[in-house]
């Protein structure tokens, strides 16, 4: 099958790859670019474990065809920590013990960051609604929500 040449950026770095027309962004990230933070839980847009942003828009990378990111900016969980420093969301997930097996955690973090980038002061209800598409089978959601609210407060404080 003829492959399609794709030029994009991933976590700020220019990236080129060859993709089959039906290959997903998730497959390319994990299998070709070896960015294995994004997980495949369902492969059908139901669990959020594969969440990434494309041009700042939160998407399930299992539902995005790899050729669709031509010329766009892809950000994955690997792009969240900066200069060896954890993002406040990552730090708060640790402090609140908001993870157990960790399979859902990259997706929850990417989704939470997308929320706080758009809405720095969400209510608890808004956090719960926003994260409703990210399923966790072991931790439950209260610690996750507390971690996101705490990180939001810290980020707001840092902006003052
Ligand atoms: Fe993409 Fe579940 S693997 S939503
Ligand atoms: Fe295990 Fe969420 S921590 S699925």
């Amino acid at each position: 099958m003829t492959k399609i040449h794709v030029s994009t950026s991933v976590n700020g770095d220019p990236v080129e790859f060859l993709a089959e027309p039906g290959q997903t962004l998730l497959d390319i990230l994990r299998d070709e670019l070896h960015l294995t933070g994004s997980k495949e839980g369902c492969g059908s847009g139901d669990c959020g474990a594969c969440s990434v942003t494309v041009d700042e828009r939160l998407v399930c990378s299992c539902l995005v065809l790899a050729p669709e990111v031509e010329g766009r900016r892809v950000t994955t969980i690997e792009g969240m920590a900066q200069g060896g420093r954890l993002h406040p969301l990552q730090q708060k997930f640790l402090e609140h013990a908001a993870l157990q097996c960790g399979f859902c955690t990259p997706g929850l973090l990417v989704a939470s960051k997308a929320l706080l980038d758009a809405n720095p002061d969400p209510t608890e209800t808004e956090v719960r609604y926003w994260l409703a598409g990210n399923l966790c089978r072991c931790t439950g959601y209260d610690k996750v929500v507390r971690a996101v609210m705490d990180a939001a407060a810290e980020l707001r404080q840092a902006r003052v």
Side-chain angles (χ1 to χ4, degrees):
M1 183 179 295
T2 307
K3 292 194 173 187
I4 300 170
H5 177 262
V6 179
S7 297
T8 186
S9 96
V10 178
N11 300 327
D13 294 326
V15 168
E16 297 181 48
F17 57 83
L18 295 174
E20 292 172 10
Q23 205 165 9
T24 67
L25 175 58
L26 179 61
D27 285 341
I28 291 291
L29 290 172
R30 290 183 55 84
D31 300 338
E32 303 294 333
L33 305 180
H34 307 297
L35 296 171
T36 55
S38 306
K39 305 293 189 242
E40 180 161 11
C42 63
S44 56
D46 294 311
C47 76
C50 64
S51 298
V52 302
T53 59
V54 177
D55 288 352
E56 325 305 336
R57 182 173 172 209
L58 183 64
V59 298
C60 294
S61 59
C62 71
L63 296 183
V64 176
L65 293 176
E68 291 183 282
V69 300
E70 168 72 31
R72 301 191 180 274
R73 295 184 312 280
V74 180
T75 305
T76 71
I77 185 63
E78 286 85 355
M80 187 173 275
Q82 294 293 322
R85 276 181 62 107
L86 293 179
H87 186 281
L89 277 164
Q90 294 171 306
Q91 189 61 42
K92 293 301 180 187
F93 268 57
L94 288 174
E95 291 174 14
H96 286 269
L99 67 156
Q100 289 187 50
C101 77
F103 192 86
C104 67
T105 309
L108 276 165
L109 284 166
V110 168
S112 299
K113 183 173 183 301
L115 169 63
L116 299 190
D117 286 347
N119 178 5
D121 193 9
T123 64
E124 179 178 331
T125 300
E126 287 172 328
V127 173
R128 288 184 182 276
Y129 268 92
W130 185 269
L131 297 179
N134 290 80
L135 305 185
C136 175
R137 289 297 173 89
C138 37
T139 304
Y141 300 99
D142 283 341
K143 291 177 178 177
V144 169
V145 172
R146 281 202 290 277
V148 173
M149 298 294 287
D150 200 4
E154 183 173 299
L155 285 162
R156 286 196 305 277
Q157 189 65 30
R159 287 193 193 101
V160 173

